[in-house]
Amino acid sequence: MNFFEYARVALESLKANRLRSVLTMLGVIIGVAAVILLVSLGEGTKNYVEEQFAGLGSNILIVTPGKIETRGGPPVIGAAKHKLTLSDSRILEKKGYLFGGVAPVVFGTAEVRYGSRSRNVPVLGVTPSFSPVRNLHVEIGSFVTESDVEAKRRVCILGRTVKRELFGNANALGQIVKVSGGRFRVVGIMQRKGVSLGIDLDDIVFVPVRTAQDLFDTDALLEIILSVRNKNDIESAKELAKSLLFKNHNRHEDFTITNQAAMLSSLYTILDTLTYVLGGIATISLLVGGIGIMNIMLVTVKERTNEIGIRKAVGARDRDILVQFLLESTALSSSGGIAGMLVGVLGAYGIRLLVPKLPVEVPSWAIVLAFTFSVFVGIFFGVYPARKAAALHPIEALRYE
Amino acid sequence: MGSAPVSEPLLRLRGVTKIYEPDGQEVVGLEGVDLDIHSGDFLAVMGPSGSGKSTLMHIIGCLDIPTSGSYEIKGIPVSRLSPEELARLRNREIGFVFQVFHLLPRYTALRNVELPLLYAGVGREERTGKALEALRAVGLEDRRNHLSNQLSGGQKQKVAIARALVNRPSLLLADEPTGNLDTKSGDELMEILTRLNGEGTTIVLVTHNQAIARRAKKVVYIIDGRLVAKEEYRELRE
């Protein structure tokens, strides 16, 4: 008896008990849909986080002043509390052969005014290397230049939101705005970048770093951002920066170097684990669905004992009976699997429509996995009833009413 | 009566004994049965219910194997065969007709007849052709697309005969084939069996009905699991 005959018999039998088949499938449908939905949710959360960090640029080390003690306990009294200065960034630039760019950042907030409109925004004092290192670029005009920094020129580059709020649709380039009362010429407008980690990257004004130091009357830097030329050198670059700064700070380690990529990758590992755990929990419901299949197959075998006897009397081998019932349980579970896939994918799109912020995505591996698993469930939970059917003695089976 | 014995019988039973142990208690189903059935025979096995005639039929039909003794089909020793080989023998060498028909209710007459061919691995077209031919032989070709549970008892049993014959087995084994039929259908059925035997089909018929047994060429009597002579049978029955 060939495969198509077995399949035909299996499908006929499922059709003959339509309601029962659908109810049995429901267990698998819910299981597969749950796997796909939960995994998609996990994946969506990961996407969301990824999007938040997307503006950060890659291969980044960030130097911040002060030492973050990971060991806890009170800080040592009298420990030097040094700040980061432009001298640090100059050293890093000069001797940091592993760095692609060194970007010192001065931070402050200021009122920016144009005509009658004003806005309180973060002002970042930066050097030209900030743009490539942080992956933030001007759309029109130019970014801060080397000579802007050296000459402490009073020029500024506006984020998209600032530009819109102050100028509307009018041309801003070349106009004079007042930053904390000082006159600044607008030389550039940034590209739209969106929100990252709660900071609206479009609601920022950039000025040359030394101009900012004058503006906020400080020589301290918020941070120095380092981009590392080669991804594999990140750890050695971190060590290099550490030793250079250590020397420059009179042998005090009063700064912290953070490896963004390492932090992110451990975060992603956590999110991946979360996805697998969710998928695993959903898989349990798929197993419960499998038990439902086994239950109904046992009933089916009992009901069709006479049929099994007839088939055996006319020459069906044990193997023929086994395959027939195995195929029936597999047909149950795999059609449940297909329906569950549809429900799961539609559900994921439903969530996407309802919660647009969460970029729910159905990973193809989840679909393949859920379906494969549902087929496997049908085989696994079908084996026992099918073996029971195959092992029936033909005479007993024929006598059974 | 009966044809001249051929040198090698189709079926040969020697000292066939079957003992059941349903609840640890031994129940003798058959005891030392010797029987030869030759090609072209039409043999009736007569006996009251519980006499062991069904057991005999199951053993002849390879649905069961004897506890002791030997049984050969065409010289093949059946008792030593695996379940798989027994299935093959049932498929190729034996056609069953049961008192309660045993057709698959949701299948059409045609698909019921096709069933043995399916397990013989015959391809679709050849299967349909052979099944139609078998239905034609019992005069039910026009009912081929009826579901078997839409057929009358007589028609069902004809379909069963067609199914039994479709693989051209060596032996047609009928267990009270008229038991669930009215007299007219029963007569009609016996005529078909007689005709098939005339055309060369070997038939073993199990019955407790004297009138039915009389249609066979030869009758053996069975009581308490033993084959007995006609006279002894009469005595014991009275």
Side-chain angles (χ1 to χ4, degrees), chain A residues 86-303:
Chain A
L86 281 177
S87 111
D88 292 322
S89 91
R90 239 175 265 125
I91 290 283
L92 291 171
E93 215 162 338
K94 222 154 100 191
K95 300 194 170 164
Y97 57 93
L98 291 171
F99 306 137
V102 176
V105 179
V106 167
F107 176 83
T109 51
E111 187 204 47
V112 182
R113 176 178 287 276
Y114 176 72
S116 59
R117 301 189 188 185
S118 75
R119 191 170 176 80
N120 265 304
V121 291
V123 173
L124 293 190
V126 296
T127 59
S129 51
F130 181 85
S131 173
V133 166
R134 251 332 230 101
N135 199 22
L136 294 169
H137 302 282
V138 286
E139 185 170 332
I140 38 177
S142 61
F143 199 67
V144 171
T145 65
E146 207 61 61
S147 67
D148 289 340
V149 174
E150 290 310 316
K152 295 191 189 175
R153 260 183 220 126
R154 298 200 151 217
V155 294
C156 67
I157 296 96
L158 305 182
R160 268 279 154 201
T161 309
V162 185
K163 190 261 165 190
R164 197 190 59 229
E165 290 300 318
L166 295 185
F167 291 91
N169 289 327
N171 180 28
L173 226 53
Q175 301 294 327
I176 302 292
V177 294
K178 286 196 167 170
V179 180
S180 282
R183 288 163 55 88
F184 280 70
R185 183 178 298 277
V186 178
V187 295
I189 311 289
M190 298 302 288
Q191 285 174 358
R192 183 177 304 286
K193 201 71 184 185
V195 177
S196 168
L197 294 173
I199 298 166
D200 186 353
L201 293 173
D202 297 327
D203 206 8
I204 294 181
V205 170
F206 296 95
V207 298
V209 64
R210 296 180 64 186
T211 315
Q213 285 181 326
D214 282 0
L215 190 64
F216 299 119
D217 192 22
T218 175
D219 63 345
L221 299 176
L222 170 74
E223 59 187 8
I224 300 171
I225 308 171
L226 305 170
S227 75
V228 180
R229 241 190 229 111
N230 190 332
K231 201 173 184 171
N232 303 323
D233 292 336
I234 283 201
E235 274 313 305
S236 36
K238 191 175 169 183
E239 286 309 310
L240 176 65
K242 193 168 158 186
S243 69
L244 289 174
L245 291 173
F246 191 65
K247 244 184 262 170
N248 206 39
H249 284 213
N250 299 319
R251 311 192 69 76
H252 285 297
E253 197 184 332
D254 49 7
F255 52 86
T256 303
I257 304 173
T258 316
N259 180 353
Q260 291 281 352
M263 272 173 56
L264 280 187
S265 84
S266 56
L267 181 60
Y268 290 154
T269 309
I270 293 170
L271 289 172
D272 275 339
T273 312
L274 181 77
T275 303
Y276 298 143
V277 167
L278 286 177
I281 292 170
T283 304
I284 293 173
S285 67
L286 200 47
L287 282 178
V288 175
I291 293 168
I293 288 182
M294 175 140 95
N295 195 9
I296 218 65
M297 287 310 295
L298 285 171
V299 173
T300 300
V301 169
K302 194 106 192 163
E303 279 178 355

Side-chain angles (χ1 to χ4, degrees), chain A residues 5 12 306 311-312 314, chain B residues 90-91 107 111 119 127:
Chain A
E5 290 299 333
E12 277 169 355
N306 193 247
R311 289 182 182 275
K312 285 197 160 184
V314 301
Chain B
R90 288 198 293 271
N91 186 242
Y107 277 27
R111 284 189 71 194
Y119 290 112
R127 211 160 62 211

Side-chain angles (χ1 to χ4, degrees), chain B residues 195-209:
Chain B
R195 173 167 57 81
L196 288 170
N197 178 246
E199 288 162 11
T201 309
T202 312
I203 298 175
V204 172
L205 177 76
V206 175
T207 183
H208 67 280
N209 184 330

Side-chain angles (χ1 to χ4, degrees), chain A residues 1 5 8-9 12 16 306-307 310-320 324 393-395 398-399, chain B residues 58 63-64 83-84 87 90-91 96 98 100 102-104 106-107 111 115-116 118-119 121 124 127 163:
Chain A
M1 191 157 148
E5 290 299 333
R8 185 180 172 194
V9 170
E12 277 169 355
N306 193 247
E307 174 190 326
I310 295 171
R311 289 182 182 275
K312 285 197 160 184
V314 301
R317 294 158 302 174
D318 292 1
R319 185 155 48 114
D320 293 315
Q324 181 191 326
H393 196 285
I395 297 169
L398 279 172
R399 280 204 192 118
Chain B
H58 291 152
L63 286 167
D64 211 345
E84 181 129 333
R90 288 198 293 271
N91 186 242
F96 288 98
F98 301 96
V100 290
H102 281 327
L103 299 176
L104 296 181
R106 287 196 306 266
Y107 277 27
R111 284 189 71 194
L115 209 55
L118 211 62
Y119 290 112
R124 194 182 196 116
R127 211 160 62 211
R163 180 180 67 187

